[in-house]
Structure formats: C-alpha cells, structure tokens
Amino acid sequence: AVDGFGGEQGLLGLAFHPSYATNGRFFVHFSQPGSGNTEIAEYARATDVTANPTKVRTILTVNQPYGNHNGGSIEFGADGMLYIFLGDGGSSGDPQNFAQNPDSLLGKILRIDIDGNAPYAIPAGNMPGGSPEIWDMGVRNPWRASFDGCTGDMVFADVGQNAWEEVNFEPAGQGNKHYGWRTMEGAHCFNPSNNCDQTGLTLPIFEYQHQ
C-alpha cells in the first residue's frame, strides 16, 4: 500500500449512528496515513456544527496489500447494523483471489454490531464459515452503496475490471450472497474467460460497458 491519501485512498466513507441526533456518534472509513491500511473508527460530535478531532476508538483495521480497491461506503442498515463495503485489496484481477476467500475480509460486505461488546459484536445471520464479520462476498470494489429508506433493500455499485460496470440489488435482510468476482465481471465470465461455473452466484441487476 502507499501513503494513505491520493489515488483511491483517503477519506472513503462516513456514517451517522441511527441515534446520532441524541448520541452524537458517527463512524469514518479512511486509509491510515503511512500504511494505507483500512481503518473504521468512531468519532463524536462536539457542538452542533463541529466534531471532536480526537478519535473515540478504532473499530476495525484491515491490511491492504495494494493502494487501490479499498472500497468506500459504510452504511447503517434498517437493522441498525453497520455495513462495511471493502474492495478486493487491489492490483488487477484480484491476483490473490481475496474476494472468494471466506477467511479474508477483502472483497466482502461486512456487517457488524457497533453497539455490542467492544470493539464490536457479530450479529446473527452473517455468512456461516470463514470470518464471522462477512455478510456477502465476491465483490471487486464496492465504492458506493445505499439502503432504501422505505423498504430497507440494499443497492450497491461494483467497479468492473476492464469492460463491465455493475449495479447489484439485495432485498432487505437477504444477505449471504456471492456476487461473482473474480469468476464474473458483471454478467460475463472473467476468470476463466469462458465456460465459468456460475453456480450459486448472484448476478447484477444492471451492467454497462465502458463504451
């Protein structure tokens, strides 16, 4: 990884606690200066218009092998859990296949309870086996995501490799999905480039070419 700023690194996401109006808590996803590793940290409101610059605590850190594909969004779902959207660690083509490794947090959507035991608790319903923080897997660089305020459904964009960008949809509470990377880029075979096994994969609801 590189210095922690510039390129695809830096301040990548911010999420207000569901009870922010009363508790003043918010959470930040950023690249650590020097190492470029991912950090999810808690901060607190100081006044109506300012935050206390002193960090309350570090929630989670994840080593980043390269300076790109750090992901971006952190969002609270309707269930009150914090969802963390992490890229595959970078380089090109996910050379170490992190996105399909259930023991790695890279290339995943994580789901944690920041109101549980410090630094966080594992909520029921996460993907069984592998790292307990994982909610979904098989993503390349989920840069931005959103939860529908009425239905709780999740929509997130995943950056493609060379040809296809994708948008994914997940009904509220229906996680434990594999979104295909690096087997798939969008709805197309990537590795291998032909006759790839799509068993158990969730394909995007929309894709578009760079053209």
Side-chain angles (χ1 to χ4, degrees):
V2 291
D3 291 333
F5 61 91
E8 297 182 15
Q9 296 183 315
L11 174 60
L12 300 179
L14 185 150
F16 295 99
H17 191 281
S19 299
Y20 173 80
T22 54
N23 66 24
R25 301 170 67 194
F26 66 96
F27 300 82
V28 179
H29 174 190
F30 64 92
S31 308
Q32 291 178 331
S35 70
N37 291 331
T38 289
E39 180 169 341
I40 309 298
E42 179 176 350
Y43 285 81
R45 180 177 62 218
T47 70
D48 286 347
V49 294
T50 63
N52 187 330
T54 301
K55 178 170 57 182
V56 173
R57 59 178 176 142
T58 294
I59 303 294
L60 175 71
T61 58
V62 181
N63 291 338
Q64 290 287 349
Y66 305 99
N68 59 338
H69 300 183
N70 295 169
S73 270
I74 54 173
E75 307 285 339
F76 280 95
D79 57 2
M81 301 298 110
L82 181 64
Y83 290 75
I84 302 166
F85 297 77
L86 290 183
D88 64 7
S91 190
S92 177
D94 194 6
Q96 298 173 68
N97 206 22
F98 285 126
Q100 299 199 45
N101 180 355
D103 295 319
S104 171
L105 298 183
L106 297 173
K108 309 297 191 302
I109 299 171
L110 312 182
R111 175 176 173 262
I112 61 174
D113 179 3
I114 49 76
D115 293 319
N117 296 331
Y120 57 84
I122 302 298
N126 280 3
M127 186 171 282
S131 296
E133 295 89 348
I134 295 172
W135 174 248
D136 295 313
M137 63 188 298
V139 294
R140 183 175 181 271
N141 193 28
W143 172 240
R144 284 294 175 258
S146 184
F147 286 94
D148 187 297
C150 295
T151 66
D153 297 336
M154 179 173 75
V155 178
F156 70 94
D158 201 9
V159 180
Q161 177 68 47
N162 296 317
W164 296 94
E165 308 296 322
E166 67 180 67
V167 177
N168 295 283
F169 174 82
E170 183 176 287
Q174 296 182 31
N176 295 197
K177 290 182 168 51
H178 189 317
Y179 285 99
W181 177 251
R182 66 182 182 176
T183 300
M184 311 290 292
E185 179 190 14
H188 306 264
C189 292
F190 178 81
N191 187 354
S193 58
N194 294 291
N195 300 317
C196 58
D197 184 2
Q198 301 180 33
T199 305
L201 303 183
T202 299
L203 299 186
I205 59 164
F206 180 74
E207 63 174 3
Y208 60 94
Q209 290 181 287
H210 289 184
Q211 296 170 346

